[in-house]
mmCIF file of all heavy atoms in Angstrom:
data_model
loop_
_atom_site.group_PDB
_atom_site.id
_atom_site.type_symbol
_atom_site.label_atom_id
_atom_site.label_comp_id
_atom_site.label_asym_id
_atom_site.label_seq_id
_atom_site.Cartn_x
_atom_site.Cartn_y
_atom_site.Cartn_z
ATOM 1 N N LEU A 469 -11.740 -1.584 7.180
ATOM 2 C CA LEU A 469 -12.232 -2.930 7.475
ATOM 3 C C LEU A 469 -11.129 -3.963 7.277
ATOM 4 O O LEU A 469 -10.950 -4.855 8.114
ATOM 5 C CB LEU A 469 -13.421 -3.250 6.579
ATOM 6 C CG LEU A 469 -14.076 -4.620 6.776
ATOM 7 C CD1 LEU A 469 -14.621 -4.743 8.193
ATOM 8 C CD2 LEU A 469 -15.198 -4.841 5.761
ATOM 9 N N ALA A 470 -10.368 -3.844 6.179
ATOM 10 C CA ALA A 470 -9.276 -4.785 5.920
ATOM 11 C C ALA A 470 -8.205 -4.694 7.008
ATOM 12 O O ALA A 470 -7.671 -5.712 7.467
ATOM 13 C CB ALA A 470 -8.663 -4.509 4.552
ATOM 14 N N THR A 471 -7.902 -3.473 7.430
ATOM 15 C CA THR A 471 -6.910 -3.287 8.498
ATOM 16 C C THR A 471 -7.397 -3.876 9.807
ATOM 17 O O THR A 471 -6.642 -4.540 10.534
ATOM 18 C CB THR A 471 -6.612 -1.785 8.675
ATOM 19 O OG1 THR A 471 -6.161 -1.242 7.439
ATOM 20 C CG2 THR A 471 -5.552 -1.568 9.741
ATOM 21 N N TRP A 472 -8.669 -3.658 10.115
ATOM 22 C CA TRP A 472 -9.235 -4.192 11.351
ATOM 23 C C TRP A 472 -9.228 -5.720 11.343
ATOM 24 O O TRP A 472 -8.863 -6.355 12.350
ATOM 25 C CB TRP A 472 -10.655 -3.679 11.526
ATOM 26 C CG TRP A 472 -11.347 -4.242 12.733
ATOM 27 C CD1 TRP A 472 -11.169 -3.872 14.042
ATOM 28 C CD2 TRP A 472 -12.303 -5.315 12.755
ATOM 29 N NE1 TRP A 472 -11.974 -4.633 14.864
ATOM 30 C CE2 TRP A 472 -12.668 -5.525 14.109
ATOM 31 C CE3 TRP A 472 -12.890 -6.099 11.753
ATOM 32 C CZ2 TRP A 472 -13.596 -6.491 14.468
ATOM 33 C CZ3 TRP A 472 -13.805 -7.062 12.126
ATOM 34 C CH2 TRP A 472 -14.158 -7.249 13.474
ATOM 35 N N LEU A 473 -9.599 -6.314 10.211
ATOM 36 C CA LEU A 473 -9.596 -7.773 10.120
ATOM 37 C C LEU A 473 -8.186 -8.329 10.259
ATOM 38 O O LEU A 473 -7.968 -9.357 10.909
ATOM 39 C CB LEU A 473 -10.208 -8.209 8.794
ATOM 40 C CG LEU A 473 -11.726 -8.019 8.638
ATOM 41 C CD1 LEU A 473 -12.154 -8.341 7.222
ATOM 42 C CD2 LEU A 473 -12.483 -8.873 9.648
ATOM 43 N N GLN A 474 -7.223 -7.645 9.635
ATOM 44 C CA GLN A 474 -5.848 -8.114 9.732
ATOM 45 C C GLN A 474 -5.361 -8.078 11.175
ATOM 46 O O GLN A 474 -4.731 -9.025 11.649
ATOM 47 C CB GLN A 474 -4.944 -7.257 8.835
ATOM 48 C CG GLN A 474 -3.581 -7.864 8.552
ATOM 49 C CD GLN A 474 -2.635 -7.715 9.714
ATOM 50 O OE1 GLN A 474 -2.697 -6.740 10.456
ATOM 51 N NE2 GLN A 474 -1.744 -8.682 9.902
ATOM 52 N N ARG A 475 -5.659 -7.005 11.880
ATOM 53 C CA ARG A 475 -5.246 -6.884 13.285
ATOM 54 C C ARG A 475 -5.961 -7.919 14.145
ATOM 55 O O ARG A 475 -5.382 -8.463 15.078
ATOM 56 C CB ARG A 475 -5.541 -5.482 13.796
ATOM 57 C CG ARG A 475 -4.616 -4.416 13.229
ATOM 58 C CD ARG A 475 -4.978 -3.044 13.783
ATOM 59 N NE ARG A 475 -4.850 -3.018 15.234
ATOM 60 C CZ ARG A 475 -3.719 -2.758 15.885
ATOM 61 N NH1 ARG A 475 -2.615 -2.495 15.204
ATOM 62 N NH2 ARG A 475 -3.684 -2.732 17.202
ATOM 63 N N LYS A 476 -7.213 -8.211 13.822
ATOM 64 C CA LYS A 476 -7.992 -9.158 14.624
ATOM 65 C C LYS A 476 -7.451 -10.577 14.510
ATOM 66 O O LYS A 476 -7.389 -11.312 15.493
ATOM 67 C CB LYS A 476 -9.457 -9.122 14.178
ATOM 68 C CG LYS A 476 -10.371 -10.039 14.995
ATOM 69 C CD LYS A 476 -11.800 -9.885 14.555
ATOM 70 C CE LYS A 476 -12.717 -10.830 15.298
ATOM 71 N NZ LYS A 476 -12.723 -10.579 16.769
ATOM 72 N N PHE A 477 -7.025 -10.940 13.286
ATOM 73 C CA PHE A 477 -6.588 -12.318 13.056
ATOM 74 C C PHE A 477 -5.072 -12.501 13.104
ATOM 75 O O PHE A 477 -4.571 -13.607 12.927
ATOM 76 C CB PHE A 477 -7.111 -12.814 11.704
ATOM 77 C CG PHE A 477 -8.602 -12.934 11.648
ATOM 78 C CD1 PHE A 477 -9.359 -12.044 10.910
ATOM 79 C CD2 PHE A 477 -9.250 -13.933 12.359
ATOM 80 C CE1 PHE A 477 -10.741 -12.146 10.866
ATOM 81 C CE2 PHE A 477 -10.627 -14.059 12.320
ATOM 82 C CZ PHE A 477 -11.381 -13.152 11.569
ATOM 83 N N SER A 478 -4.337 -11.416 13.328
ATOM 84 C CA SER A 478 -2.879 -11.540 13.351
ATOM 85 C C SER A 478 -2.354 -12.033 14.697
ATOM 86 O O SER A 478 -1.202 -12.454 14.793
ATOM 87 C CB SER A 478 -2.228 -10.193 13.020
ATOM 88 O OG SER A 478 -2.522 -9.249 14.050
ATOM 89 N N LYS A 479 -3.190 -11.959 15.755
ATOM 90 C CA LYS A 479 -2.777 -12.397 17.087
ATOM 91 C C LYS A 479 -1.455 -11.741 17.474
ATOM 92 O O LYS A 479 -0.418 -12.378 17.592
ATOM 93 C CB LYS A 479 -2.642 -13.926 17.144
ATOM 94 C CG LYS A 479 -3.929 -14.655 16.853
ATOM 95 C CD LYS A 479 -3.746 -16.158 16.890
ATOM 96 C CE LYS A 479 -5.046 -16.889 16.583
ATOM 97 N NZ LYS A 479 -4.878 -18.341 16.605
ATOM 98 N N GLU A 480 -1.544 -10.424 17.680
ATOM 99 C CA GLU A 480 -0.344 -9.624 17.862
ATOM 100 C C GLU A 480 0.231 -9.683 19.266
ATOM 101 O O GLU A 480 1.115 -8.934 19.597
ATOM 102 C CB GLU A 480 -0.638 -8.170 17.526
ATOM 103 C CG GLU A 480 -0.885 -7.924 16.060
ATOM 104 C CD GLU A 480 -1.147 -6.471 15.803
ATOM 105 O OE1 GLU A 480 -2.128 -5.932 16.336
ATOM 106 O OE2 GLU A 480 -0.348 -5.856 15.092
#
Side-chain angles (χ1 to χ4, degrees):
L469 181 61
T471 303
W472 177 77
L473 289 173
Q474 196 283 328
R475 288 180 60 86
K476 182 176 177 62
F477 294 108
S478 65
K479 299 179 181 180
E480 291 181 298

